[in-house]
Amino acid sequence: MSETFRGQDSAIAVIGVSCRLPRAAGPAAFWTLLRDGLDAISSTPADRWGVTPFDPGNPPLGTRYGGYLDGVDQFDAGFFGISPREAAVVDPQQRLTLELSWEALEDAGVVPERIRGTRVGVFIGANKDDYATLLRRYGLEAITEHSNTGLQRGMIANRVSYTLGLTGPSITVDTAQSSSLVAIHLACESVRRGECSSAIVGGVILNLSSEAAVELSRFGALSPDGRCFTFDARANGFVRGEGGAVVVLKPLRQALVDGDHVYCIIRGSAINHDGISEGLTVPNASAQEEVIRFAHERAGVQAADIQYVELHGTGTKVGDPIEAAALGAAVGRPRRAYGPLRVGSVKTNIGHLECAAGIAGLLKVILAIHHRQIPASLNFRQESPWVRLEEQNLQVQTQTAGWPDPSRPLVAGVSSFGMGGTNCHVVVSEVADVEVVESVRLGRPMGSAPLALSLSARTAHALREQAMRLRAFVAEHPEISARDVAWTLATARSVFAHRAVVVAGELDGDSAGDLAGLLDLDVSPVVVRGVAAGVGGGAGPVFVFPGQGAQWVGMGLALWDAEPVFGEAMTRCARALAPFVDWSLREVLADPGLLDRVDVLQPVSWAVMVSLAELWRSVGVTPAVVVGHSQGEIAAACVAGGLSLADGARVVALRSRAIVA
C-alpha cells in the first residue's frame, strides 16, 4: 500500500447495510443470488404499468423484461407516523428509503431514538418520479395537500432526516446513473470534514410508469433480449432493474472505538465530468481514466493493490469499449506483472438500476469482501472485439471464486458513470491492513446463565412476525452466539409498546440453535407478553435502589470480571470507601461472615448499586427518576448527581458505622 494512505484518520467504515433488490429482500438473500450466479430478470408483471396508453399485453420495444420487486405498494405507514391519507400520496421511493434506512441502522446496531437530534447526514441518489406521473394521469382531482411533499424527489432524503430527527446534511443527489455512488462520495467527504458524525447513504428507483421505459427504448438504450451482456460480443443495451440499497457510514477510528462491526472501509473516492466528448451522452475514456487515478491517489493505493473492479458495465456497444480502455489504462496495464485485473457487473444479475446502480455495485463489493469471495458476472460467453480484454489486462469473473491473492489486503474499485458525463469511482478494502485501535467492548458472563430475549413491536401482529423471523434466523444459523442474540435485542433495537420476553433458561455454550424452539410466542411456556403503557410519551425508566435484604454472598463478583464498565465502577467505589473502612470491597463480597455486618453490608450494597446503574447507562438505559431506601437513598443521590462518589462513600460508611455504634 502507498504510504500516503492516512489509515484511520481518513478511512470511512461501512457498519450497516440493507437492500431490497430483484429476488433479494435483504443482504443475505442478495449474497445468495450473487454467490449462486442467479439471474433475477423476469417478464414485466402484467399489472405493473397500471393505467397506460400502451397495451400491457404487448409492451413497446425493450419494456417486456426487467428486474422487479414484489409488493412495491405495501407500506406500514403507522410505523413511521404517517397517516394513511398522506401515505397514499407519498412516492413509494420515499417509503422504501425509509424502510431501508431503518433496516440499515438496525444492521449497524444503532437505535434510531439514540441518534435523534444528532448530526447524522442522509444522502440518497434518485432521479425518477414515476409515481408522480401515475398520479397526474388522474388530473387535478388527484392533487391533495400532501402531493407537494409526497412527490418531490428532494424529499426522499429529507423524509428520512425528518422522521428520524437527524440534523446533518440531507441531500437527494441526481447525476443520472451515477447518482448513488456520487452520494457515497459526498457523504464520505462530509463525514471527513466533520459536517456529520455518520451518514445514511443509498439509492432508490422504482419503475412504475411505462413512459420512462419507452423513453429509454426510443433512445436506443435497452436490450431487446432483456439482458445485460457486459463486455460480451452480444452487448446490445441494458435491461432495467429496480430497488434500493442503503449503507451506514462512520469514521473508522470511531467505529473501532465503539466496537462496531465493520464490513469494510471506503479508502477514497473521486468524481469528475467528461467535458466535451463526441456527444452529450457519449462517455469520455480520458475522463474515466482520470477519475480512477484520482480516486487511487485519494485512497493512497497503487494499481497493483487493486484485485477487482465492479464495472459500470451496462453492456452497450459504445460504453463497454470506452470503459475497458479507461480501466485498462488506469489499472489493468499498470498491474500486468500481477496478472489480469478481475472485473464484473452486478447489472448482469439484477439489471441496470440507473440512479441506484452505483450503490448496488458497491453493496456487491462489500459482500464480496465480507465473504472473501468474488461472485460471477453473468452472460459472458465471447468477448466483444472492441473491448480487447487481453490488451487491457482485464479478465471477466465468470464464476464465483476466492480473491486472486487472499494473502494481500482485499482492495476493490467501484465505477459508476452518469449518462450526462458525471463519473465516480470509489476504492473499498477490508480492514486487515489498518492499524486497529484499542476498542472498548463489554464483556460477557462466563459459563451457563439464563438469557432473556426481548422483542417489541408497534402491533401484536408485528411482534409475532418479529419472533417468526428471529426463529427462522437462529434455526438457519445455529452457530450464532445465543448471548450475542440476547445482547443485540436488548441494546441495539428500538423499544415499542407490544413486548415479549423469552427466557432461555440455562444454556451451555454459546450456540443459539436451541433458542429456535422457544420463539413460538403462542405455545412457548417461557414467554412473558404484555403491552407497555405510555411508550413514547413517558419520561423514561425509574431506578429503584433497595435497602438491606437484597444481598447475597458473591454478588457482583462474576460481573466485576465480565463487564469492564461494572468492574471499573466498583474499583472507583473501592477507592472512595478506602479512607473509611478497614476491609477490601472485592474480598468481602465472598465472605459470608463480613456480609452479615451492617457496617460492611451497607457500603458494599451501595457500591454494587451505583456500579449497576453505571452499567445500565453504558448500554443506553438512563433513568428519568431514581428512588431509594436506606443505603439505597445514598446510591440514588449519587446516580442522580446529588452526591459525588466520594461524598456518597463517606456518607454510607459513616452512617453504617453509626448504626452499629
Side-chain angles (χ1 to χ4, degrees), residues 1-5 267 292-293 295-306 411 427 429 433:
M1 293 290 170
S2 166
E3 294 183 358
T4 61
F5 176 57
R267 288 184 173 274
I292 294 170
R293 291 187 187 279
H296 286 183
E297 180 183 331
R298 297 288 308 278
V301 299
Q302 309 291 342
D305 298 323
I306 309 299
V411 184
V427 178
S429 81
D433 64 317

Side-chain angles (χ1 to χ4, degrees), residues 92-93 96-97 100 124-127 156 202-206 243-245 355-356 359:
Q93 294 180 133
L96 178 57
T97 304
L100 291 174
I124 304 295
N127 77 334
I156 296 176
V204 63
I205 183 172
L206 291 175
C355 57
I359 192 69

Side-chain angles (χ1 to χ4, degrees), residues 151-185:
L151 301 179
Q152 286 192 49
R153 286 201 302 272
M155 288 290 177
I156 296 176
N158 296 164
R159 178 81 67 171
V160 174
S161 298
Y162 171 77
T163 301
L164 300 179
L166 309 177
T167 63
S170 185
I171 304 171
T172 300
V173 180
D174 181 359
T175 58
Q177 288 76 5
S178 59
S179 299
S180 58
L181 205 63
V182 170
I184 290 287
H185 169 80

Side-chain angles (χ1 to χ4, degrees), residues 216-268:
L216 286 169
S217 177
R218 293 182 179 172
F219 178 70
L222 300 183
S223 166
D225 299 308
R227 295 296 184 276
C228 290
F229 298 106
T230 303
F231 283 9
D232 190 87
R234 296 169 291 169
N236 58 1
F238 62 81
V239 62
R240 302 184 80 201
E242 68 177 7
V246 166
V247 299
V248 179
L249 305 181
K250 193 177 190 179
L252 175 62
R253 180 177 293 278
Q254 190 61 50
L256 294 174
V257 168
D258 293 344
D260 295 321
H261 171 259
V262 178
Y263 283 94
C264 64
I265 58 175
I266 297 176
R267 288 184 173 274

Side-chain angles (χ1 to χ4, degrees), residues 156-410:
I156 296 176
N158 296 164
R159 178 81 67 171
V160 174
S161 298
Y162 171 77
T163 301
L164 300 179
L166 309 177
T167 63
S170 185
I171 304 171
T172 300
V173 180
D174 181 359
T175 58
Q177 288 76 5
S178 59
S179 299
S180 58
L181 205 63
V182 170
I184 290 287
H185 169 80
L186 296 176
C188 289
E189 292 302 296
S190 183
V191 170
R192 289 189 181 103
R193 288 194 301 268
E195 287 179 338
C196 50
S197 56
S198 59
I200 298 167
V201 197
V204 63
I205 183 172
L206 291 175
N207 300 323
L208 305 178
S209 75
S210 57
E211 285 89 340
V214 173
E215 286 174 5
L216 286 169
S217 177
R218 293 182 179 172
F219 178 70
L222 300 183
S223 166
D225 299 308
R227 295 296 184 276
C228 290
F229 298 106
T230 303
F231 283 9
D232 190 87
R234 296 169 291 169
N236 58 1
F238 62 81
V239 62
R240 302 184 80 201
E242 68 177 7
V246 166
V247 299
V248 179
L249 305 181
K250 193 177 190 179
L252 175 62
R253 180 177 293 278
Q254 190 61 50
L256 294 174
V257 168
D258 293 344
D260 295 321
H261 171 259
V262 178
Y263 283 94
C264 64
I265 58 175
I266 297 176
R267 288 184 173 274
S269 58
I271 56 175
N272 72 357
H273 189 268
D274 283 340
I276 297 176
S277 64
E278 294 183 14
L280 175 62
T281 62
V282 177
N284 183 327
S286 297
Q288 291 183 9
E289 177 186 347
E290 179 182 312
V291 80
I292 294 170
R293 291 187 187 279
F294 190 26
H296 286 183
E297 180 183 331
R298 297 288 308 278
V301 299
Q302 309 291 342
D305 298 323
I306 309 299
Q307 296 200 43
Y308 174 77
V309 168
E310 176 65 17
L311 303 164
H312 180 63
T314 55
T316 59
K317 291 184 182 297
V318 174
D320 280 8
I322 291 174
E323 182 173 10
L327 188 59
V331 189
R333 298 202 299 273
R335 71 180 307 280
R336 192 174 293 278
Y338 295 87
L341 173 68
R342 307 293 179 87
V343 298
S345 174
V346 73
K347 296 174 180 65
T348 62
N349 300 91
I350 61 174
H352 189 353
L353 269 65
E354 301 172 52
C355 57
I359 192 69
L362 177 64
L363 181 56
K364 173 184 171 180
V365 170
I366 291 169
L367 295 175
I369 290 174
H370 180 66
H371 293 282
R372 303 189 72 82
Q373 287 185 301
I374 301 176
S377 190
L378 309 184
N379 307 329
F380 184 79
R381 192 166 63 198
Q382 180 180 356
E383 73 173 82
S384 166
W386 297 281
V387 169
R388 299 187 179 94
L389 292 176
E390 185 175 355
E391 177 184 325
Q392 305 298 346
N393 194 37
L394 307 177
Q395 178 181 325
V396 176
Q397 184 83 14
T398 56
Q399 60 182 1
T400 299
W403 286 67
D405 188 353
S407 65
R408 301 172 63 214
L410 307 186

Side-chain angles (χ1 to χ4, degrees), residues 441-445 487 558-568 615:
R441 298 177 184 272
L442 290 174
R444 62 175 63 163
W487 172 263
L559 208 56
W560 195 324
D561 294 327
E563 297 289 356
V565 172
F566 180 83
E568 290 166 9
L615 178 60

